[in-house]
Amino acid sequence: MSTVPMGAVRPEDVPVRDASTVMLVRDGDRGLEVCLMQRNLASDFVGGAYVFPGGAVDPEDSDPASAAVCAGLDDAEASRRLGIEAGGLAFWVAAIRESFEEAGVLIARHADGRPLDVTDPSVAERFVRHRQDVDHCRRTIAAVAVEEDLRLDAGALHYFSRWITPLGSHRRYDTRFFVAAAPDQEVVHDDRELIGTEWLTPVEALRRHDDGEIVMIFPTVRTLVALSRFDGAAAVLDHARALSEVRPVLPTVTEGPDGMRIRLPGDPELTGGVYDAGTGRPLADGHD
């Protein structure tokens, strides 16, 4: 007999939605920096947390019109890299679209190969309108690319990791993490879903999280730990390009005597791979 209350959704019945996120990296005076954006405090999903730009893959991202304006990668190769039969390019399109909507950065080139340049005030103003149109679903990013004679630079994004939201969450995502060199464009949060922007070194972001100055969810913390091992943006991009396989990470969450614990199956960092859910830091004794 089921113990699930009437009207409640069983954890295993919560749908898992495809999503993409992109780590924009650059070299700063302090070394490798990554763009982190604060989610709206009123958001019903990780409100107030510092995240990388990203979101769910929308149906339009897999439209043939989107594939037609991509450069540097086709669907066959994108799907091979993700380990799926078809439709992989949609994850790259979603990452580019989300970075445009949330951060105001469009990873694109002109048809002749020139990088997109929005330093001219009239061009910048035009792309502000494009961003608003895409963000409010008045136009697709493919339509913007056609109008501006652009190609979405899918080849500039490199597959880095994959995280699946554990059972028990009211929303679940299967998120592909990409890394890209930040283009020469100003990052501006949308003041709707996101209310703040900071360029931080991975070490600095982790310290601020440990000190309680900022809040980050577990995949963000562990991704920053991975990024902290690199000296600069080129090293991160080279690492991502060289990856031959990206294994999905599906954490499990348990309640222990000292609070919530997260276990990563097969994690070599510690026996058992047990982490504190609040800090994202490994537990020295490996017990939950």
Side-chain angles (χ1 to χ4, degrees), residues 1-210:
M1 183 174 179
S2 174
T3 59
V4 178
M6 184 175 296
V9 178
R10 297 183 304 169
E12 58 269 29
D13 290 337
V14 174
V16 181
R17 190 171 182 186
D18 288 332
S20 293
T21 192
V22 57
M23 299 170 286
L24 299 171
V25 296
R26 70 183 188 186
D27 291 321
D29 294 337
R30 302 163 297 171
L32 174 67
E33 295 179 338
V34 62
C35 179
L36 285 163
M37 312 188 82
Q38 186 181 20
R39 288 188 60 82
N40 193 311
L41 297 172
S43 173
D44 64 351
F45 183 72
V46 297
Y50 279 70
V51 298
F52 308 116
V57 177
D58 289 342
E60 292 81 4
D61 298 325
S62 59
D63 191 279
S66 296
V69 295
C70 283
L73 193 67
D74 61 18
D75 188 71
E77 177 59 18
S79 300
R80 185 195 68 77
R81 294 182 189 181
L82 298 185
I84 59 179
E85 290 187 5
L89 190 59
F91 288 86
W92 271 261
V93 174
I96 293 172
R97 175 182 54 74
E98 288 285 350
S99 67
F100 187 43
E101 291 178 5
E102 295 189 342
V105 169
L106 183 55
I107 303 173
R109 292 181 174 273
H110 290 283
D112 61 8
R114 289 178 296 116
L116 173 61
D117 184 355
V118 295
T119 53
D120 183 278
S122 63
V123 175
E125 182 179 351
R126 194 166 71 243
F127 274 85
V128 167
R129 292 196 299 271
H130 289 330
R131 175 190 184 182
Q132 293 171 345
D133 285 345
V134 173
D135 192 19
H136 291 86
C137 302
R138 292 190 290 263
R139 302 178 70 201
T140 65
I141 196 167
V144 171
V146 169
E147 178 181 329
E148 296 287 347
D149 197 24
L150 295 173
R151 300 294 180 268
L152 305 182
D153 197 358
L157 276 69
H158 307 288
Y159 189 25
F160 189 84
S161 60
R162 177 184 178 189
W163 288 83
I164 303 173
T165 311
L167 280 168
S169 300
H170 73 286
R171 288 190 188 179
R172 299 189 66 204
Y173 294 94
D174 184 347
T175 305
R176 315 288 180 138
F177 282 63
F178 298 91
V179 62
D184 189 18
Q185 302 170 33
E186 183 182 5
V187 174
V188 181
H189 51 269
D190 61 11
D191 263 340
R192 186 169 60 86
E193 292 185 35
L194 299 156
I195 59 174
T197 300
E198 293 201 52
W199 286 94
L200 299 172
T201 68
V203 170
E204 181 181 9
L206 291 167
R207 178 197 62 75
R208 291 181 61 182
H209 174 66
D210 288 344

